[in-house]
Amino acid sequence: MNSWQQQWYLGSSYYHFNRPNEAISTEDNRLSPRLSIHGGFNFPVNEWNRVYLSGLYMQSAITTEKMLGTVLESLVRTDQYETKLFFGLYYRMSDAFIPYLGLSNERFQIGVSYDVNVSSMKVATRSRGGGEISLQLNLSQSEESKKIPACYNRF
């Protein structure tokens, strides 16, 4: 991929359109449909750095979630390795700030995030948020397929 190339992405999902019954007894407990829409844009700042802007909207029954965020990717090159570092911040509307740190190379990408609760729920959670670790492995043997596309969401 040309490092000076900008990229857009947009996607959506619709879950539980047939309203499956999740009850394990004779009760009827149907799952409500859920809509998810996500999109983003990334662009190079210079030959070593790239900025990712992204958003997410999800709606199900009585729950709606909206999230916006940005991540800075910095390329670190040595004689043997090419590594990318990611630093970002997301905001889940009226709920939490989510700092993000990540690291990747051709074979894997790992990320760590932590929800910092800013909603009225912080009383119930004693201002404790939730941590998350993500891991993406590329097990392909093909040199071309080894690269994780830059347009992949950093959430």
Side-chain angles (χ1 to χ4, degrees):
M1 180 184 85
N2 181 347
S3 64
W4 289 100
Q5 183 180 18
Q6 59 186 8
Q7 296 174 315
W8 289 92
Y9 71 92
L10 181 64
S12 67
S13 302
Y14 190 75
Y15 305 83
H16 315 307
F17 65 90
N18 63 343
R19 304 222 38 211
N21 185 6
E22 69 172 352
I24 58 173
S25 64
T26 58
E27 295 177 26
D28 191 40
N29 189 22
R30 301 274 173 192
L31 289 173
S32 296
R34 179 173 55 145
L35 172 66
S36 173
I37 301 170
H38 63 275
F41 175 67
N42 68 69
F43 58 92
V45 176
N46 54 41
E47 68 178 295
W48 305 102
N49 298 293
R50 178 173 284 274
V51 173
Y52 295 82
L53 305 172
S54 57
L56 170 71
Y57 171 84
M58 284 196 300
Q59 188 273 323
S60 175
I62 60 170
T63 305
T64 299
E65 181 177 315
K66 300 174 206 164
M67 188 163 60
L68 296 172
T70 187
V71 172
L72 173 66
E73 170 191 293
S74 291
L75 180 63
V76 178
R77 281 195 180 135
T78 66
D79 291 340
Q80 295 177 322
Y81 302 103
E82 185 174 287
T83 303
K84 295 176 182 177
L85 301 174
F86 301 95
F87 308 93
L89 183 66
Y90 293 89
Y91 178 63
R92 189 169 43 242
M93 306 297 177
S94 305
D95 184 35
F97 284 100
I98 307 162
Y100 172 81
L101 294 173
L103 174 74
S104 78
N105 65 22
E106 286 184 352
R107 303 298 271 167
F108 78 92
Q109 180 171 316
I110 188 166
V112 177
S113 63
Y114 186 82
D115 291 20
V116 180
N117 195 327
V118 295
S119 72
S120 59
M121 289 294 291
K122 69 182 175 182
V123 175
T125 63
R126 296 185 201 160
S127 295
R128 285 180 277 171
E132 219 174 90
I133 296 173
S134 61
L135 177 63
Q136 182 177 359
L137 297 174
N138 188 338
L139 303 175
S140 172
Q141 297 302 313
S142 160
E143 286 300 316
E144 188 58 32
S145 298
K146 282 183 185 177
K147 297 180 181 168
I148 297 171
C151 65
Y152 278 7
N153 197 346
R154 302 288 174 211
F155 289 142

